[in-house]
Amino acid sequence: MSRVLIVDDEESMRLLVARAIAMDGHDITSAADGAEALEILSGIDGAFDLMLTDIQMPIMDGIALALTAARDFPDLTILLMTGFADQRERASGLNAIAHDVISKPFSVADIRTAVADALASRKAS
């Protein structure tokens, strides 16, 4: 079982993703924005296996969150999510810190596969 932090400003998306990946037995924690996610990460010294974050959020967006989390918690695997093509382009330069960018909307099967792939790559390295 892996510990996964889901970060999205839309509660319905957090719940959908949490339910989807909990089906695979993962321990889920959620945050509504990047600032809250950093508080959670810092509070337990980054003890998550994976952070799945939306790119476009208020307060601190997913790219700023990914950059900060990668710097402070280098063992954390990061997956980005977005429904916007321009946000996907912004994330294209983050290949060194983000495992992948998942396009919204996605199916339950798509998100489960993306999470499994990210976690598998973590174990392989």
Side-chain angles (χ1 to χ4, degrees):
M1 171 170 60
S2 297
R3 294 189 72 192
V4 180
L5 177 59
I6 299 167
V7 189
D8 198 304
D9 58 318
E10 293 180 39
E11 183 178 13
S12 60
M13 183 58 67
R14 287 193 310 271
L15 291 172
L16 170 78
V17 173
R19 283 190 199 121
I21 62 177
M23 291 169 32
D24 294 321
H26 302 301
D27 181 22
I28 310 299
T29 301
S30 296
D33 58 58
E36 183 182 357
L38 282 180
E39 284 180 30
I40 291 168
L41 285 167
S42 297
I44 59 169
D45 200 25
F48 284 90
D49 301 295
L50 176 68
M51 180 176 70
L52 179 58
T53 182
D54 190 19
I55 293 176
Q56 187 165 321
M57 296 182 294
I59 302 174
M60 174 186 270
D61 73 10
I63 291 178
L65 171 59
L67 290 167
T68 303
R71 180 196 69 209
D72 295 348
F73 310 104
D75 293 334
L76 179 65
T77 301
I78 300 169
L79 274 175
L80 300 171
M81 303 180 286
T82 188
F84 301 96
D86 63 325
Q87 298 297 325
R88 190 170 180 78
E89 286 178 27
R90 278 184 63 213
S92 65
L94 299 178
N95 292 341
I97 63 167
H99 175 76
D100 199 2
V101 180
I102 304 159
S103 294
K104 292 179 182 178
F106 46 72
S107 70
V108 167
D110 291 340
I111 195 66
R112 289 176 70 196
T113 298
V115 166
D117 289 348
L119 291 169
S121 76
R122 174 185 174 84
K123 290 177 178 131
S125 51

